[in-house]
Amino acid sequence: MASSDVIDDDEVHHHNHHHHHQLSPLLKTHGNNGNRNSNVSSAVNPSTTSVHELLECPVCTKSMYLPIHQCHNAHTLCSTCKTRVHNRCPTCRQELGDIRCLALEKVAESLQLPCKFTSLGCPEIFPYYSKLKHEAICNFRPYNCPYAGSECAVVGDIPLLVAHLKDDHKVDMHTGCTFNHRYVKSNPQEVENATWLLTYFCLHFEAFQLGMAPVYMAFLRFMGDEIEARNYSYSLEVGGNGRKLIWEGTPRSIRDSHRKVTDSHDGLIIQRNMALFFSGGDRKELKLRVTGQIWKEQKNPEGGACIPNLCS
């Protein structure tokens, strides 16, 4: 077992000072609740709040899901943390067996909870064990920062991320439906990614290894969900020195990570040797132009076919 996966005694005690609950208070709390209404108010009344505290793992402080484990003294913890505490209860230090806390699992089954993104507009209410699955794909969940070349931890809605890209990452922002950018690199051996912002679209030019070959890839991502991104199309040209490659496709959503897009090869890929040839000169400096346009596909009211509509 790797040392980073082990919880030491001091860390466990730090998390556990308020988690010395027994099974009897749990049953008392469940009895006082009295009903299983699925309205939002039941999720925030005092008795249900007490149940929420019981469903919090004393080690990681996250909500516990099946299977919920307990020691012989009825102290509970989640299945993930059970493998990290050397088979010893983090509360009483007794040896953990393989005991399930069936009573607490049943109580969890009775709960109806609002999505944790309620404050962002999600109106949905779910059974306890369905809530986590929904939240992973909730349309109201925040977006990750789409900037290339760093693991930026900023999350938020689209207006926040647009301001963040401009102010913190100093990304150039343009309006309209066409783009025309230069990618210049004095040392092509160095890997450097670029991001440009066109209203609510991110244009990326990224370098990575495709097998043994160093390549560049240009692609477009829409700052919104996939279902919205499918309403648009784009064309892309990468070239120089009188030569160019052309790509046409549908933007990806920024829900899709850079790695997911590059792994799927969903963009214009140009090998470094060809990119240097396009750059002309002595092939020691990379000088490319990335151009293209975006349009929205609209339904023809008469024939029902899609017709291009250039965004403005």
Side-chain angles (χ1 to χ4, degrees), residues 14-304:
H14 174 72
H15 285 303
N16 284 327
H17 67 276
H18 65 285
H19 276 277
H20 293 268
H21 50 257
Q22 299 288 330
L23 193 57
S24 53
L26 161 67
L27 296 177
K28 180 179 179 182
T29 301
H30 180 49
N32 290 342
N33 198 19
N35 63 67
R36 298 182 180 181
N37 292 337
S38 61
N39 55 37
V40 175
S41 62
S42 69
V44 295
N45 66 38
S47 60
T48 310
T49 301
S50 300
V51 175
H52 288 173
E53 292 174 357
L54 289 172
L55 286 167
E56 183 181 280
C57 176
V59 177
C60 65
T61 71
K62 296 179 181 179
S63 295
M64 295 186 288
Y65 293 89
L66 290 173
I68 299 174
H69 297 278
Q70 70 174 37
C71 73
H72 291 283
N73 292 323
H75 301 129
T76 57
L77 77 163
C78 71
S79 57
T80 300
C81 290
K82 182 177 184 291
T83 64
R84 303 170 61 196
V85 294
H86 303 295
N87 201 38
R88 300 191 73 84
C89 173
T91 302
C92 67
R93 321 309 298 163
Q94 297 297 311
E95 184 176 350
L96 285 169
D98 196 21
I99 308 171
R100 292 271 293 273
C101 187
L102 299 179
L104 191 54
E105 291 179 359
K106 285 291 185 182
V107 171
E109 283 182 1
S110 73
L111 296 178
Q112 298 280 338
L113 303 175
C115 172
K116 73 176 181 180
F117 303 121
T118 298
S119 62
L120 299 178
C122 183
E124 302 294 338
I125 299 173
F126 294 91
Y128 183 81
Y129 291 125
S130 303
K131 178 173 174 283
L132 199 64
K133 184 177 181 180
H134 160 78
E135 289 171 350
I137 59 172
C138 178
N139 289 334
F140 292 91
R141 72 192 188 277
Y143 295 89
N144 296 319
C145 172
Y147 186 69
S150 68
E151 295 296 327
C152 182
V154 171
V155 297
D157 59 17
I158 299 304
L160 183 148
L161 290 181
V162 169
H164 165 68
L165 287 169
K166 291 193 301 181
D167 298 339
D168 299 326
H169 293 298
K170 309 303 179 185
V171 170
D172 289 333
M173 181 175 179
H174 305 275
T175 57
C177 58
T178 61
F179 46 88
N180 187 339
H181 300 285
R182 293 186 71 221
Y183 183 87
V184 179
K185 189 66 182 172
S186 58
N187 183 2
Q189 304 298 321
E190 294 180 2
V191 174
E192 184 171 320
N193 300 323
T195 297
W196 298 284
L197 195 58
L198 184 71
T199 312
Y200 290 111
F201 294 88
C202 288
L203 174 63
H204 302 287
F205 192 82
E206 303 194 3
F208 61 99
Q209 292 285 132
L210 185 59
M212 297 297 292
V215 300
Y216 299 97
M217 178 171 162
F219 59 95
L220 196 72
R221 289 197 297 168
F222 175 69
M223 296 188 71
D225 287 321
E226 181 182 358
I227 192 168
E228 299 174 86
R230 290 175 183 168
N231 293 324
Y232 295 90
S233 296
Y234 74 101
S235 63
L236 188 63
E237 296 181 4
V238 174
N241 197 27
R243 295 159 177 85
K244 64 183 177 183
L245 292 177
I246 300 174
W247 168 270
E248 188 170 308
T250 301
R252 299 291 285 263
S253 164
I254 60 170
R255 297 285 192 203
D256 291 337
S257 67
H258 294 263
R259 180 66 179 270
K260 183 175 181 179
V261 179
T262 55
D263 283 353
S264 68
H265 305 163
D266 191 5
L268 191 155
I269 296 177
I270 178 171
Q271 290 193 353
R272 182 191 291 166
N273 286 338
M274 182 178 290
L276 289 171
F277 179 67
F278 281 16
S279 300
D282 56 7
R283 297 166 61 95
K284 292 183 178 179
E285 184 179 36
L286 194 65
K287 293 185 292 186
L288 296 172
R289 187 164 292 278
V290 183
T291 63
Q293 65 179 7
I294 307 165
W295 64 90
K296 187 172 185 178
E297 302 286 3
Q298 285 193 335
K299 291 289 185 180
N300 186 335
E302 297 179 358

